[in-house]
Amino acid sequence: MRPNRLLAWILASVSLLFAASGDALAVQVEFQPVAPGVYAFIGETGPRTAANEGLNANIGLVVTPAGAVLIDSGATWQGARQIDEAVGRVSAVPVKWVINTGGQDHRWLGNGYFSARGAEIIAHADARADMRNRGNDHLEALRRDLGGKADGTVPTLPTRWLTGKDERLELGGVVLEFKHRGGAHTPGDTMVWLPRERVLFTGDVVYVDRMLGVLPVSNTRHWLDTFAVIEEIAPQRLVPGHGGVTDLRQARADTQAYLLALRAHMRQAVDDGVDLGAAVKSFDAGPFQRLLHAGELGPGNASRTYLEIERE
């Protein structure tokens, strides 16, 4: 076989091997520094796949002398193990608390792994019904998308439920403030504010680089109420639920502006008696087509916002 043909055959064989091997394409979880003692894993902006193990969302880490605080636990037991191993590469302190910022699968379905290792799992009480109602459905969808990468995952609810709009906890001298305004992407969506470090973990309240998703359980009015809290506290660094570590300017452009435009258009359509289909078609999504997945998610976001406003 000629050298060029031999090289081509080798490259093709390697490509086929990688395509057939889920393990070869497994995600590598690494936490990047955001501020002293504060880190973030930035997940992919694409869909859940066996290659990314459902870790297509951002995960936070705060290291304190009394233990580590993990902000969201990943989508599966195996993904949670990857996250835990990544924590160990940052610090020797074990994960003491796991905070679930909402009811979406990659925010909490890794809870079982950390609960078995003695971590306390914390979330807002408004997430409880959503987790119970959708947990098994999430798991079935993950099994379809991830195959064996979802094995070992059992929906495991938090052990500590917060109830207030604003709550404050402290671990190892690090203050964490929780901000909840009735939900956003999901009913339990809660932001975690580190006032001394001036870093805000928004969970799915903020999407940048890609379009947000309005679900049947979402509430766009409360979503904007929650965003108003971000305006009030003016964080220096903002870790969104999806997309790169960012600032308030980009959060306004990629999340707030879209929600305001969507609600204003659908409010006018409902008030004028315009039917759902016409309202969706007439929404000017042009300014937001720059966001990833805009074409895929836009029509559903528009229709669900219209139906939400009809109920208000």
Side-chain angles (χ1 to χ4, degrees):
M1 186 178 292
R2 293 178 180 177
N4 287 346
R5 290 184 180 179
L6 176 61
L7 177 60
W9 180 84
I10 292 171
L11 291 174
S13 299
V14 170
S15 297
L16 288 171
L17 177 63
F18 271 73
S21 173
D23 289 338
L25 297 172
V27 67
Q28 180 66 35
V29 179
E30 295 292 346
F31 285 101
Q32 66 180 52
V34 177
V38 182
Y39 305 84
F41 162 70
I42 305 303
E44 295 179 9
T45 52
R48 298 159 183 77
T49 65
N52 64 34
E53 300 188 30
L55 294 172
N56 62 334
N58 299 343
I59 307 292
L61 173 65
V62 182
V63 177
T64 87
V69 179
L70 190 66
I71 300 172
D72 295 318
S73 61
T76 66
W77 189 94
Q78 294 186 47
R81 180 179 61 185
Q82 286 258 50
I83 293 167
D84 194 32
E85 290 171 354
V87 172
R89 291 191 289 273
V90 171
S91 173
V93 299
V95 175
K96 178 80 170 179
W97 291 349
V98 174
I99 298 163
N100 301 148
T101 62
Q104 201 66 10
D105 52 0
H106 38 221
R107 303 295 168 202
W108 72 282
L109 283 182
N111 284 356
Y113 174 93
F114 290 101
S115 181
R117 282 152 183 77
E120 183 174 24
I121 315 296
I122 303 169
H124 196 277
D126 283 359
R128 182 174 358 209
D130 183 39
M131 289 173 168
R132 284 177 170 166
N133 292 339
R134 296 196 299 146
N136 288 328
D137 291 340
H138 279 156
L139 184 53
E140 285 304 310
L142 286 167
R143 286 172 176 154
R144 290 193 299 270
D145 292 338
L146 310 187
K149 297 290 182 70
D151 289 352
T153 306
V154 176
T156 303
L157 292 175
T159 52
R160 181 174 182 178
W161 298 100
L162 307 176
T163 58
K165 291 172 58 178
D166 297 282
E167 298 213 21
R168 180 183 185 276
L169 298 178
E170 186 172 336
L171 182 67
V174 176
V175 173
L176 300 97
E177 296 182 359
F178 299 82
K179 308 291 184 181
H180 177 77
R181 295 297 184 273
H185 181 65
T186 72
D189 279 3
T190 302
M191 300 186 296
V192 182
W193 169 231
L194 307 176
R196 294 175 187 168
E197 295 79 7
R198 302 204 60 77
V199 174
L200 179 69
F201 289 90
T202 71
D204 287 331
V205 175
V206 174
Y207 289 58
V208 299
D209 307 323
R210 57 150 292 183
M211 179 162 278
L212 59 82
V214 178
L215 304 175
V217 298
S218 300
N219 188 303
T220 59
R221 178 167 59 86
H222 290 163
W223 202 325
L224 285 168
D225 291 341
T226 309
F227 199 98
V229 176
I230 305 177
E231 300 267 22
E232 292 170 9
I233 62 180
Q236 288 182 354
R237 306 296 302 279
L238 191 151
V239 182
H242 297 268
V245 176
T246 189
D247 55 21
L248 184 52
R249 179 200 58 79
Q250 188 181 10
R252 286 175 178 144
D254 291 4
T255 292
Q256 184 189 44
Y258 176 62
L259 289 170
L260 286 169
L262 199 56
R263 280 190 59 86
H265 179 84
M266 295 307 166
R267 168 58 66 193
Q268 190 64 53
V270 169
D271 290 347
D272 291 347
V274 177
D275 68 37
L276 172 62
V280 171
K281 288 180 181 178
S282 60
F283 175 67
D284 180 12
F288 308 102
Q289 290 303 308
R290 59 187 172 78
L291 299 173
L292 294 172
H293 317 305
E296 173 190 352
L297 295 175
N301 289 349
S303 63
R304 283 186 280 273
T305 302
Y306 179 99
L307 294 172
E308 177 191 332
I309 289 175
E310 265 196 328
R311 297 190 297 268
E312 288 179 356

